[in-house]
Amino acid sequence: QNIFYKKKILIYGLGKSGLSAFKFLKNNNKITIYDDKIKSDVNKITRAEFDCIIISPGIDIYKCSLSNFLKKNSKKIYTDLDIFYRHYKHNKKITITGTNGKSTTAKILYEVLKDQKVDVRLVGNIGNPVLLEKKVSKQTLFVIEASSYQLEYSKLFKSNISLILNISPDHLERHKTISSYVNAKFKLIKNQSKKDLAILNIKNFYIKRKLKIKKFLPKIIKVEKEIDNSFLKKIDNQYFNTEGNKENLKFILEVAKVLNLKNNILIKTLKKFKGLKYRQEIIYQSKKLTVINDSKATTFSSSVSLLKSLPNAYWIVGGQAKKGDKLILSQKNCKNFKAYIFGANKKFFIDKIKKLMKYEYFLDLKSLIKKLNLEVKSDKKINHKIIVFSPSSASFDNFKNFEKRGEYFNQLVKKYINA
């Protein structure tokens, strides 16, 4: 029987996914909506009986106004991914999760499949709610980017092919421990059957450890080998020069094998892939200077994958630090580096960086960029200079999200960096 049909349903959280669930379910169910930001009668809701509760990924069960009610009714909690799975059970689904690189990998895979003439949709955490897709046929294939929050609350969702790109400590303010964060990611694999496939980066410490402790049903494809240099030459795309993007590419190549994709078309797609905004994005390039906007880097591990691939860097870093975050970078990796620190958690960043490289601290990004412009101009030691905006932190101390932060950085560069 369908648990989302002719039922009393509470939708909690009215962001993109909550609103899409409301639209999708409203004709066939009796729906109550609730959001912490909107004043409404909490008692009326907690006294009511619901068949199921659809919860937005942004809601923390332990820190929200319906906390006790949700804990009591935890068996009734579902997500938009569950509704989607129930409705499109027979469609092929490829789901991507991981701490870093999810959106980029999902986007590359989407472009790759589109060029191979597949009816493919890119949905999930990348900002396209799964329930808003129109004209879905039996042939439609879904590429889904799933966050640990979505997976943690899902009960029914299942994927034919699952990818876990990497795991490093993140979102611990919500998941509390690294093991519950790892478990949320691995729920993707746990829910799969023998007929399904899981593609995993087994060089990653947390993934390797989890596979040692537990057996899983799907066939596991291990990503460990480096990409052939001759293949990288064929693609000839500098976007794939960084460690992180090479990692992402390994997964794409595994999926291409599984789906038997045409190699010549695949190479064409990869040649022209430009990357996503604010993710290791080159926003300015001349003979003397490259400026990279990596505002999406919200943890040290995502910045490190970029920094390791650079010969020198003026590294702009700072913001709202992530709990438990560690900077794993050796002095060898950052010989010609200098850090420019800004934002709320001054002490946190200085402690992590001071042993590795010279640094300066600024109250805000604007004064930082002005000073940096002068330093870049006067530095005669390095011929080609690289400015990297890779904050390694959440943006909420000063910005609504990483996009707004990235946009502001671009404006400052336009105005003050005149190489």
Side-chain angles (χ1 to χ4, degrees), residues 148-346:
S148 55
Y149 298 164
Q150 284 169 304
L151 294 168
E152 186 176 34
Y153 292 150
S154 299
K155 290 198 168 66
L156 309 170
F157 178 72
K158 194 161 113 38
S159 184
N160 306 88
I161 300 176
S162 288
L163 281 58
I164 303 183
L165 305 177
N166 48 59
I167 297 177
S168 56
D170 196 5
H171 303 306
L172 298 188
E173 57 289 336
R174 165 103 162 240
H175 291 292
K176 305 291 180 274
T177 63
I178 180 76
S179 72
S180 70
Y181 176 57
V182 172
N183 288 341
K185 296 280 188 201
F186 264 90
K187 208 164 168 189
L188 190 55
I189 316 289
K190 204 175 130 193
N191 291 351
Q192 289 184 291
S193 69
K194 272 187 180 145
K195 293 202 292 277
D196 303 320
L197 279 180
I199 304 178
L200 305 174
N201 169 5
I202 61 143
K203 276 164 105 174
N204 177 277
F205 170 77
Y206 295 103
I207 294 174
K208 198 154 122 191
R209 188 171 69 178
K210 186 75 180 165
L211 290 177
K212 272 198 180 123
I213 315 168
K214 203 165 163 21
K215 284 269 174 280
F216 293 94
L217 281 174
K219 179 183 177 215
I220 289 178
I221 294 176
K222 296 173 176 180
V223 172
E224 47 189 334
K225 285 207 299 293
E226 293 311 312
I227 299 169
D228 200 342
N229 260 339
S230 62
F231 186 78
L232 287 170
K233 279 205 182 93
K234 268 185 209 156
I235 301 171
D236 185 31
N237 183 343
Q238 64 172 25
Y239 184 77
F240 293 108
N241 289 350
T242 69
E243 288 308 306
N245 287 326
K246 275 186 196 145
E247 288 294 320
N248 300 339
L249 182 57
K250 287 180 191 177
F251 281 84
I252 300 292
L253 299 180
E254 289 298 345
V255 175
K257 258 191 247 163
V258 169
L259 299 179
N260 251 329
L261 301 182
K262 295 193 177 85
N263 208 28
N264 55 338
I265 302 173
L266 174 67
I267 288 168
K268 259 188 201 148
T269 310
L270 295 173
K271 252 192 163 104
K272 63 177 201 284
F273 185 72
K274 286 276 188 292
L276 290 162
K277 272 185 107 55
Y278 315 129
R279 292 166 173 87
Q280 307 189 355
E281 181 189 11
I282 296 171
I283 57 160
Y284 175 87
Q285 200 160 29
S286 70
K287 268 204 181 92
K288 289 184 172 164
L289 179 71
T290 299
V291 183
I292 300 171
N293 186 339
D294 191 30
S295 177
K296 177 66 177 76
T298 55
T299 59
F300 279 132
S301 61
S302 52
S303 294
V304 165
S305 85
L306 172 61
L307 294 171
K308 275 184 171 170
S309 64
L310 302 174
N312 67 74
Y314 300 92
W315 176 26
I316 304 167
V317 56
Q320 192 173 317
K322 291 275 180 92
K323 188 183 160 189
D325 200 9
K326 291 181 177 61
L327 176 58
I328 302 170
L329 199 62
S330 71
Q331 276 176 321
K332 187 174 96 239
N333 292 131
C334 42
K335 270 200 197 76
N336 299 316
F337 282 32
K338 182 173 173 187
Y340 295 76
I341 301 167
F342 72 99
N345 292 103
K346 173 182 180 180

Side-chain angles (χ1 to χ4, degrees), residues 56-197:
S56 289
I59 298 204
D60 183 345
I61 287 183
Y62 300 98
K63 277 190 198 151
C64 60
S65 50
L66 296 185
S67 188
N68 291 334
F69 176 72
L70 291 177
K71 282 184 228 164
K72 274 210 301 268
N73 291 284
S74 65
K75 287 199 164 65
K76 295 179 181 175
I77 293 176
Y78 297 94
T79 65
D80 61 338
L81 283 180
D82 291 328
I83 305 166
F84 161 77
Y85 178 74
R86 247 308 150 47
H87 201 80
Y88 298 117
K89 222 175 176 161
H90 302 299
N91 287 76
K92 200 163 189 133
K93 300 164 198 69
I94 302 177
T95 309
I96 299 167
T97 195
T99 306
N100 301 310
K102 294 188 288 295
S103 301
T104 300
T105 307
K107 184 78 163 82
I108 302 172
L109 187 54
Y110 169 72
E111 298 288 340
V112 161
L113 291 168
K114 210 174 60 179
D115 290 349
Q116 306 260 348
K117 302 283 183 279
V118 176
D119 171 20
V120 59
R121 310 297 167 86
L122 178 61
V123 293
N125 197 42
I126 197 157
N128 315 329
V130 292
L131 297 173
L132 292 184
E133 286 302 316
K134 300 271 182 286
K135 298 196 172 113
V136 174
S137 77
K138 283 200 173 88
Q139 265 60 56
T140 306
L141 184 151
F142 290 95
V143 170
I144 304 155
E145 180 195 328
S147 72
S148 55
Y149 298 164
Q150 284 169 304
L151 294 168
E152 186 176 34
Y153 292 150
S154 299
K155 290 198 168 66
L156 309 170
F157 178 72
K158 194 161 113 38
S159 184
N160 306 88
I161 300 176
S162 288
L163 281 58
I164 303 183
L165 305 177
N166 48 59
I167 297 177
S168 56
D170 196 5
H171 303 306
L172 298 188
E173 57 289 336
R174 165 103 162 240
H175 291 292
K176 305 291 180 274
T177 63
I178 180 76
S179 72
S180 70
Y181 176 57
V182 172
N183 288 341
K185 296 280 188 201
F186 264 90
K187 208 164 168 189
L188 190 55
I189 316 289
K190 204 175 130 193
N191 291 351
Q192 289 184 291
S193 69
K194 272 187 180 145
K195 293 202 292 277
D196 303 320
L197 279 180

